[in-house]
């Protein structure tokens, strides 16, 4: 068979065809008498066994397979009971085949008969399993009455048509004959009793239910036929009921292969009935069936039985033609059919109404909005479940109650105005909105938004009012939360910068004459190291503890805020007296002690930090001219400017305290602002000066202290601003902060290398020293730029010495030392400038790639007057000599200093006594004079140049 043909054949066609062929062969063999009773018994056992295997194996198949083969859990349970029924029938048929097919009768009850009875019970259980059983007694009473009427009608019909004559001919007692009819009676009861469960099967699974019910009916009819043949004196070979039994077993065999019918997805607004019951199957993705009717079925059967009996009586006694009873019976049946149609339509309408009511009930209970129906006097007539749930009222507490009793008195006039507008005859028939506060059952007032509309009666006049109210409590709480998050810091819970600025403007706007307003800015010293070493979580704990300490040490009406990062700000309001300034300074000192005295607890560690505190007073800033007049907008701008200036001054004072080493309190002074402005101006002017080449280079000679010979020069940057020299200490810092130090350093290096290379071209053995900062060394392509400058100017690498401060090598030893080591590999020498001022120089000296150490001028200044400094200088000179390092003493200004350095064996030095910084031309004259003098005197020390 080709694949295309296989795809055209439905998957269930093959088992259906096989079952049909088996049924035809069995029927043919049964009618023709093939193999006698043994063939029939064994064939029946085989069909029952096949059905049992098919059903039980299919019931074990997991859900989630193909749509036509994978039932839900409920229908797998139904299949399991079908399989149990088929297995029980197999055991009964097997027992009957082994006992040579004895007849089934209650008078000769055998073990196989018990299996047959249990099979019928299992079939009925399989039909009931997927049905949700009712819980009220009335429904079960109606069910019992309908089953009784149906069974009695069928019994009477069978008695008149079949068994009445046999009873009179048998000569048996009523009890004995009733036992003969026991199996047919049981079958009738099961058939009638199972009908309501088949009718109520859920859509999509009804075919499976009808197949099981068909098997049950076939077996029950087969028992009736078998009993009639046996009582009429016929033998087993005359009994055709085996065909009916086989048909029922084949129906069970085909149940797993037909599967549930495909059904469309339910609409999204379908709401199952009785959703509050705990056993509602929709929670697991399945739907229960329900018990229905059987309604008109018992009446139809009873009517047909009565007509049959009446017709039988008339034709038997009076000799009337059968056509009379047929006509009367058909008319009654048509009338019953018409009544059945009307009942069905009525049942559909009732279900539609019930569904609508159920949807409305579920909708009203699921929404949060409160729905109220009021009369024209605003008295509540109906309250939805949402209203009772939202406001915690009992139904009797809200129904019949006027609305004005639960509306806030302040909002009541506005609500009454809206009600009157809705009731106005000339008003447009549309809903109006109103916001008000509603009192809940516990006495709290809830913010709400209500929509009020009216219903119109048949004459067009308003009859009732519909009020839909939405609780806005969560929205209001969310707005408050958003406002709090907008103006508060999430970590410390303190007000944030925005709130503090607004609060400062507010306090200054209502400042009383003579009163004082001040701000105190606080910064934690060394906080960045906490984040770097312990992590940001530890830093957050430190900030939270610092915030609690600040809040605990200020007045209740003072405002403490987190300004940003590790900075805090305090807004202080002081009474007008002479001690206001002193009180603020005392507060700042107290805050400094609280933040610095006790360590911060982070896990099992204690972290000690200090703080920098700055103070600014509102009167410190000079007011602009014309403050006595002007319009309101000008006053507002002045107020904003005053608040901004006050906050700026406090920040400047704090920065001043931090720049002086931290752990101190600084009060704002006007020169602080002037210094900042000057630094900003310098940064701007530096850009212009670099472009206009206002910079120059001076060289300070370095001499051999033993011979006074010039061995090198140190390049120094000078700035001539408008013809005036700007001290290096004033512009080096701003240049470093603005990033201009990198291009300035490149320019100094190239110009100095070019000049010294020219001198060396004249056979002058002079070296060059150039200072470099940490930012210059960390700049991209630093090594390449130095190498390029040497190659461009022709200066040998060994003639260049890079001078760096020792903290550059210690604080970021990894990157800085690596780059300097690359230059040292090229032949460039490295010198530590201002050696001995800290950073554990002696401990690191043996590990750093240096060639020269330059003694800090503070040590040289104490030679001959300070024994400690003299001893330290002697130690440094000796240490350099032992380590093979060249030593240069800086800041030589007095002859006694020079003599002591010569006595200590210091090889080189520089300072004002040796030579001041000078232009390149003067250096040339000095070097030329120095060389000529040495040529005449040899190695005899010469007087140092002045």
């Amino acid at each position: 068979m080709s694949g295309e043909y296989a795809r055209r054949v439905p998957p269930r066609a093959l088992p259906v065809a096989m079952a049909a062929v088996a049924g035809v062969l069995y029927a043919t063999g049964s009618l023709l008498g093939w193999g006698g009773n043994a063939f029939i018994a064994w064939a029946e056992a085989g069909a029952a066994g096949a059905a049992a295997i098919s059903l039980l194996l299919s019931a074990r198949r997991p859900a989630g397979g193909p749509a036509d083969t994978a039932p839900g859990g409920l229908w797998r349970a139904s299949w399991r009971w079908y399989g149990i029924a088929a297995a029980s029938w197999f055991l009964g048929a097997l027992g009957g085949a082994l006992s040579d097919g004895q007849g089934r009768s209650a008078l000769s009850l055998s073990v196989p008969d018990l299996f047959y009875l249990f099979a019928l019970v299992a079939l009925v259980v399989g039909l009931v399993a997927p049905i949700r059983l009712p819980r009220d007694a009335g429904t079960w009473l109606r069910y019992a009455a309908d089953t009784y009427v149906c069974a009695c009608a069928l019994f009477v019909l069978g008695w008149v048509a079949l068994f009445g004559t046999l009873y009179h001919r048998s000569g048996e007692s009523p009890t004995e004959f009733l036992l003969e009819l026991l199996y047919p009676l049981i079958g009738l009861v099961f058939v009638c009793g199972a009908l309501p469960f088949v009718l109520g099967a859920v859509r999509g699974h009804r075919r499976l239910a009808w197949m099981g019910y068909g098997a049950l009916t076939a077996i029950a009819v087969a028992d009736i036929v078998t009993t009639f043949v046996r009582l009429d004196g016929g033998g087993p070979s005359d009994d055709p009921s085996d065909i009916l039994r086989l048909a029922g077993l084949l129906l069970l065999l085909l149940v797993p292969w037909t599967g549930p019918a495909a059904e469309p997805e339910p609409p999204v607004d379908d709401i199952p009935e009785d959703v509050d019951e705990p056993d509602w199957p929709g929670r697991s993705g399945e739907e229960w069936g329900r018990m229905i009717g059987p309604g008109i079925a018992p009446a139809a059967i009873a009517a047909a039985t009565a007509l049959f009996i009446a017709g039988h009586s008339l034709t038997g006694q009076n000799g009337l033609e059968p056509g009379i009873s047929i006509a009367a019976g058909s008319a009654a049946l048509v009338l019953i059919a018409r009544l059945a149609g009307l009942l069905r339509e009525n049942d559909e309408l009732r279900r539609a109404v019930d569904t609508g009511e159920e949807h409305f009930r579920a909708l009203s209970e699921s929404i949060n909005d409160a729905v109220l129906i009021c009369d024209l006097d605003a008295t509540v007539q109906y309250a939805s479940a949402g209203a009772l749930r939202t406001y915690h009222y009992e139904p009797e507490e809200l129904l019949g109650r006027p609305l004005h009793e639960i509306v806030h008195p302040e909002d009541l006039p506005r609500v009454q105005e809206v009600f009157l507008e809705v009731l106005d005859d000339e008003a447009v028939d549309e809903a109006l909105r109103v916001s008000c506060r509603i009192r809940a059952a516990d006495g709290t007032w809830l913010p709400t938004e209500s929509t009020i509309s009216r219903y119109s009666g048949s004459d067009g006049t308003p009859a009732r009012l519909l009020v839909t109210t939405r609780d806005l409590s969560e929205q209001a709480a969310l707005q408050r939360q958003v406002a709090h998050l907008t103006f508060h810091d999430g970590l410390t819970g303190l007000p944030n910068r925005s709130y503090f600025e607004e609060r400062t403007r507010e306090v200054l706007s209502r400042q009383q004459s003579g009163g004082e307003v001040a701000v105190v800015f606080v910064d934690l010293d060394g906080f960045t190291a906490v984040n770097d070493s312990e992590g940001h979580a530890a830093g957050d704990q430190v900030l939270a503890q610092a915030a609690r300490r600040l809040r605990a040490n200020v007045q209740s009406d003072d405002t403490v805020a987190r300004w940003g990062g590790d900075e805090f700000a305090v807004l202080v309001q002081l009474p007008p007296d002479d001690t206001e300034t002193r009180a603020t300074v005392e507060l700042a000192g107290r805050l400094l002690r609280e933040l610095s005295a006790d360590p911060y607890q982070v896990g099992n560690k204690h972290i000690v930090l200090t703080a920098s505190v700055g103070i600014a007073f509102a009167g410190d800033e000079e007011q602009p001219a014309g403050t006595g007049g002007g319009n309101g907008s000008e006053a507002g701008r002045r107020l904003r400017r005053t608040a901004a200036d006050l906050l700026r001054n406090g920040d400047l004072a704090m920065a001043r305290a931090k720049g002086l080493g931290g752990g101190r309190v600084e009060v704002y002074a006007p020169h602080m602002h002037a210094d900042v402005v000057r630094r900003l101006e310098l940064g701007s002017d530096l850009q212009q000066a670099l472009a206009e080449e206002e910079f120059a280079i001076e060289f300070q000679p370095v001499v051999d202290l033993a011979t006074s010979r010039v061995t090198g020069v140190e390049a120094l940057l000078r700035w001539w601003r408008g013809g005036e020299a700007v001290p290096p200490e004033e512009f080096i810092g701003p240049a470093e902060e603005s990033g201009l130090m990198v291009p300035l350093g490149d320019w100094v290096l190239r110009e100095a290398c070019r000049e010294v290379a020219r001198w060396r071209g004249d056979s002058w053995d002079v070296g060059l020293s150039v200072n470099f900062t940490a930012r210059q060394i960390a700049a991209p392509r630093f090594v390449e730029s130095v190498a390029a400058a040497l190659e461009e100017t022709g200066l040998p690498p060994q003639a260049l010495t890079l001078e760096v401060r020792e903290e550059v090598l210690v604080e970021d030893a990894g990157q800085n030392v690596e780059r300097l080591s690359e230059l040292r590999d090229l032949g460039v020498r490295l010198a530590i400038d201002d050696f001995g001022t800290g950073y554990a120089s002696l401990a690191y000296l043996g590990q750093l790639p240096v060639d020269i150490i330059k003694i800090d001028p503070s040590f040289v200044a104490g030679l001959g007057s300070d024994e400690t400094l003299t001893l330290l200088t002697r130690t440094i000179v000796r240490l350099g000599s032992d380590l093979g390092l060249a030593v240069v003493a800086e800041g030589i200004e007095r002859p006694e200093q020079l003599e002591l350095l010569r006595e200590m064996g210091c090889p080189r030095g520089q300072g004002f006594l040796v030579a001041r910084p000078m232009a390149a031309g003067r250096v040339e004259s000095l070097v030329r004079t120095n060389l000529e003098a040495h040529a005449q005197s040899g190695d005899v020390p010469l007087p140092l140049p002045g």
Side-chain angles (χ1 to χ4, degrees):
M1 179 182 295
S2 66
E4 181 179 359
Y5 177 75
R7 287 193 296 270
R8 291 199 302 266
V9 177
R12 63 186 66 161
L14 183 61
V16 172
M18 293 177 62
V21 172
V24 171
L25 291 177
Y26 177 82
T28 303
S30 178
L31 293 175
L32 296 180
W34 293 348
N37 295 335
F39 168 78
I40 297 174
W42 285 107
E44 183 178 333
I53 294 173
S54 175
L55 287 165
L56 292 177
L57 290 179
S58 300
R60 296 181 59 186
R61 185 183 300 122
D68 58 346
T69 61
L74 295 175
W75 287 95
R76 285 203 303 272
S78 181
W79 290 6
R80 190 178 299 112
W81 281 105
Y82 286 174
I84 293 173
S88 181
W89 193 272
F90 167 76
L91 295 176
L94 183 63
L98 295 176
S99 60
D100 298 329
Q102 296 180 359
R104 294 182 60 206
S105 171
L107 296 176
S108 59
L109 189 65
S110 62
V111 175
D113 293 336
L114 296 178
F115 286 107
Y116 289 135
L117 289 175
F118 184 77
L120 293 177
V121 175
L123 268 178
V124 175
V125 174
L127 293 172
V128 177
I131 303 299
R132 183 173 52 190
L133 301 178
R135 298 181 179 180
D136 57 305
T139 302
W140 287 108
L141 289 176
R142 290 191 296 272
Y143 165 76
D146 290 344
T147 303
Y148 176 76
V149 170
C150 179
C152 288
L154 291 177
F155 173 74
V156 171
L157 181 62
W159 181 268
V160 173
L162 299 175
F163 297 107
T165 304
L166 296 177
Y167 170 67
H168 292 296
R169 288 191 324 194
S170 67
E172 296 180 353
S173 64
T175 303
E176 293 176 342
F177 196 80
L178 184 61
L179 289 175
E180 295 280 2
L181 300 179
L182 181 61
Y183 285 112
L185 289 176
I186 293 175
L188 290 178
V189 173
F190 283 168
V191 168
C192 294
L195 182 58
F197 304 101
V198 178
L199 295 175
V202 69
R203 182 178 301 177
H205 296 282
R206 292 175 182 172
R207 181 171 57 213
L208 304 179
W210 281 109
M211 291 179 69
Y213 188 72
L216 176 65
T217 304
I219 294 173
V221 174
D223 284 342
I224 295 175
V225 173
T226 298
T227 302
F228 176 78
V229 171
R230 180 171 49 79
L231 292 177
D232 197 35
S237 59
D238 300 326
D239 186 4
S241 61
D242 294 319
I243 298 176
L244 294 174
R245 293 190 181 93
L246 179 65
L249 293 174
L250 291 179
L251 283 176
L252 293 180
L253 175 64
L254 293 176
V255 164
W257 298 95
T258 56
E263 54 180 319
E265 292 292 332
V268 296
D269 57 345
D270 279 357
I271 300 177
E273 297 182 357
D274 300 331
V275 295
D276 293 333
E277 296 186 10
D279 57 348
W280 175 46
R283 295 171 185 168
S284 59
E286 299 184 67
E287 185 178 357
W288 290 91
R290 59 175 182 171
M291 190 172 69
I292 298 179
I296 199 66
I301 297 173
T305 301
L307 288 174
F308 179 81
I309 294 173
H312 184 273
S313 300
L314 291 174
T315 55
Q317 296 180 1
N318 302 325
L320 298 178
E321 293 296 330
I324 296 176
S325 58
I326 292 175
S330 62
L333 291 175
V334 170
L335 181 61
I336 292 175
R338 178 60 178 155
L339 179 61
L342 293 176
L343 291 177
R344 181 178 180 181
E345 293 179 3
N346 181 69
D347 185 62
E348 290 179 354
L349 292 175
R350 180 184 58 81
R351 286 200 298 268
V353 172
D354 292 342
T355 302
E357 292 178 354
E358 193 68 25
H359 284 197
F360 175 77
R361 180 177 63 84
L363 181 62
S364 63
E365 290 181 355
S366 62
I367 63 175
N368 292 325
D369 292 356
V371 179
L372 303 176
I373 296 179
C374 306
D375 58 16
L376 300 182
D377 295 332
T379 301
V380 179
Q381 295 180 347
Y382 166 79
S384 66
L388 302 177
R389 181 173 58 251
T390 301
Y391 303 108
H392 308 292
Y393 283 108
E394 296 295 332
E396 59 273 8
E397 295 177 336
L398 202 55
L399 298 180
R401 187 174 186 175
L403 277 181
H404 66 80
E405 294 184 1
I406 60 175
V407 177
H408 197 280
E410 296 179 0
D411 303 332
L412 187 58
R414 185 170 64 255
V415 175
Q416 290 175 341
E417 181 180 352
V418 174
F419 265 84
L420 293 176
E421 187 175 352
V422 172
L423 294 175
D424 189 1
D425 293 338
E426 298 180 357
V428 181
D429 191 10
E430 62 180 10
L432 298 180
R433 294 175 178 251
V434 61
S435 298
C436 62
R437 287 163 288 180
I438 300 296
R439 184 173 58 194
D442 57 1
T444 58
W445 295 100
L446 304 180
T448 64
E449 183 182 52
S450 300
T451 301
I452 304 174
S453 58
R454 60 183 179 179
Y455 292 123
S456 297
S458 57
D459 56 353
T461 58
R464 290 181 297 175
L465 296 175
L466 176 65
V467 181
T468 304
T469 302
R470 173 167 297 179
D471 182 17
L472 301 181
S473 299
E474 294 184 0
Q475 180 178 346
L478 181 60
Q479 291 176 348
R480 291 192 297 269
Q481 183 179 3
V482 170
H484 183 273
L485 293 176
T486 303
F487 293 104
H488 286 76
D489 175 55
L491 174 63
T492 62
L494 296 176
N496 59 13
R497 181 172 182 170
S498 299
Y499 179 89
F500 192 81
E501 292 174 344
E502 183 64 30
R503 176 64 175 166
T504 303
R505 285 192 290 268
E506 177 188 353
V507 171
L508 289 177
S509 66
R510 54 184 176 83
Q511 179 183 7
Q512 297 179 0
S513 177
E516 186 63 69
V517 176
V519 291
V520 179
F521 274 72
V522 179
D523 180 87
L524 298 179
D525 301 327
F527 178 77
T528 303
V530 177
N531 281 337
D532 295 340
S533 61
E534 303 297 332
H536 287 274
D540 292 344
Q541 295 183 44
V542 171
L543 291 176
Q545 295 177 41
R548 288 194 293 270
R549 297 183 187 184
L550 289 173
R551 182 67 266 181
N553 286 275
V554 299
Q555 299 294 328
S556 58
D557 55 349
D558 293 339
T559 303
V560 181
R562 184 183 178 190
W563 187 252
D566 60 336
E567 297 181 11
F568 298 88
V570 182
L571 180 63
V572 182
Q573 303 179 59
L574 299 169
D577 54 35
D578 296 336
T579 61
E580 54 192 20
T581 302
R582 186 178 62 185
T584 305
V585 175
E586 290 177 354
L587 171 64
R590 186 167 65 252
L591 296 179
L592 175 62
R593 289 190 298 273
E594 290 294 331
L595 294 175
S596 307
D598 297 328
Y600 296 88
Q601 181 74 30
V602 178
N604 57 354
K605 295 184 178 180
H606 293 80
I607 298 177
V608 178
L609 297 176
T610 59
S612 299
V613 182
I615 307 172
F617 296 93
D620 290 341
E621 186 67 25
E622 184 178 351
Q623 297 295 330
T627 57
N631 54 32
S633 60
E634 293 178 353
R637 283 194 297 270
R638 285 199 308 273
L639 176 61
R640 287 192 296 271
R641 185 168 59 248
T642 302
D645 292 343
L646 176 62
L647 298 176
R648 180 205 64 196
N649 296 342
D651 199 11
L652 286 174
M654 179 194 69
R656 173 76 173 178
K658 197 171 188 67
L660 294 176
R664 58 188 296 148
V665 177
E666 286 289 326
V667 180
Y668 172 79
H671 70 81
M672 295 181 183
H673 182 233
D675 292 344
V676 173
V677 172
R678 178 174 173 78
R679 292 175 71 88
L680 292 176
E681 292 176 351
L682 281 175
S684 177
D685 292 345
L686 281 170
Q687 293 273 8
Q688 184 177 359
L690 184 62
E692 297 180 358
E693 298 182 356
E694 295 181 357
F695 293 99
I697 300 177
E698 291 185 349
F699 300 92
Q700 184 174 23
V702 178
V703 301
D704 187 324
L705 297 183
T707 62
S708 302
R709 183 175 62 86
V710 177
T711 60
V713 291
E714 179 180 357
L716 303 174
L717 180 64
R718 296 293 184 259
W719 179 19
W720 295 92
R721 184 186 187 192
E724 296 182 359
V726 180
E729 59 270 14
E730 291 188 10
F731 71 84
I732 293 296
E736 183 80 6
E737 294 172 0
S738 61
L740 288 176
M741 202 62 220
V742 175
L744 271 176
D746 291 341
W747 179 82
V748 170
L749 177 65
R750 292 179 183 273
E751 293 298 321
C753 287
R754 184 177 291 108
E755 195 69 41
V756 175
R758 184 173 61 83
W759 295 341
R760 293 179 66 88
D762 294 337
S763 300
W764 296 353
D765 187 13
V766 179
L768 171 65
S769 298
V770 182
N771 286 279
F772 283 87
T773 64
R775 177 166 293 186
Q776 290 177 269
I777 299 174
R781 301 183 58 81
F782 167 71
V783 177
E784 291 81 355
S785 64
V786 174
L790 293 174
E791 182 178 0
E792 178 183 338
T793 59
L795 182 69
Q798 60 271 16
L800 176 64
T801 301
L802 302 184
E803 294 187 11
V804 296
R805 295 179 63 86
E806 50 191 300
E807 61 264 24
V808 175
L809 300 176
V810 176
E811 287 183 348
D812 191 7
Q815 183 183 26
N816 292 344
V817 172
E818 180 181 355
R819 293 187 173 188
L820 293 174
S821 298
E822 294 180 22
L823 289 175
R824 195 163 180 264
D825 294 338
L826 295 177
V828 178
R829 297 192 297 175
L830 177 63
I832 298 181
D833 195 16
D834 297 336
F835 182 81
T837 56
Y839 292 91
S841 304
L842 298 178
Y844 283 97
L845 192 58
Q847 307 173 17
L848 298 177
V850 297
D851 302 286
I852 303 171
I853 55 177
K854 303 186 72 173
I855 303 175
D856 186 81
S858 61
F859 287 88
V860 177
L863 292 178
S865 60
D866 191 320
E867 295 182 0
T868 301
L869 293 177
T870 303
L871 177 61
L872 288 175
T873 304
R874 189 183 303 275
T875 302
I876 294 174
V877 172
R878 186 180 305 162
L879 178 64
S881 175
D882 293 341
L883 293 177
L885 303 177
V887 180
V888 178
E890 295 183 286
I892 303 175
E893 299 180 352
R894 302 192 308 272
E896 63 269 19
Q897 297 172 349
L898 176 61
E899 294 301 326
L900 285 174
L901 288 171
R902 283 176 172 172
E903 178 188 344
M904 295 176 186
C906 181
R908 299 177 186 175
Q910 66 181 108
F912 287 175
L913 180 64
V914 176
R916 292 179 177 272
M918 59 189 70
R922 293 187 58 192
V923 173
E924 291 181 13
S925 301
L926 175 63
V927 173
R928 186 176 293 108
T929 303
N930 187 268
L931 290 177
E932 293 175 355
H934 275 281
Q936 297 175 1
S937 63
D939 294 333
V940 178
L942 300 175
L944 290 173

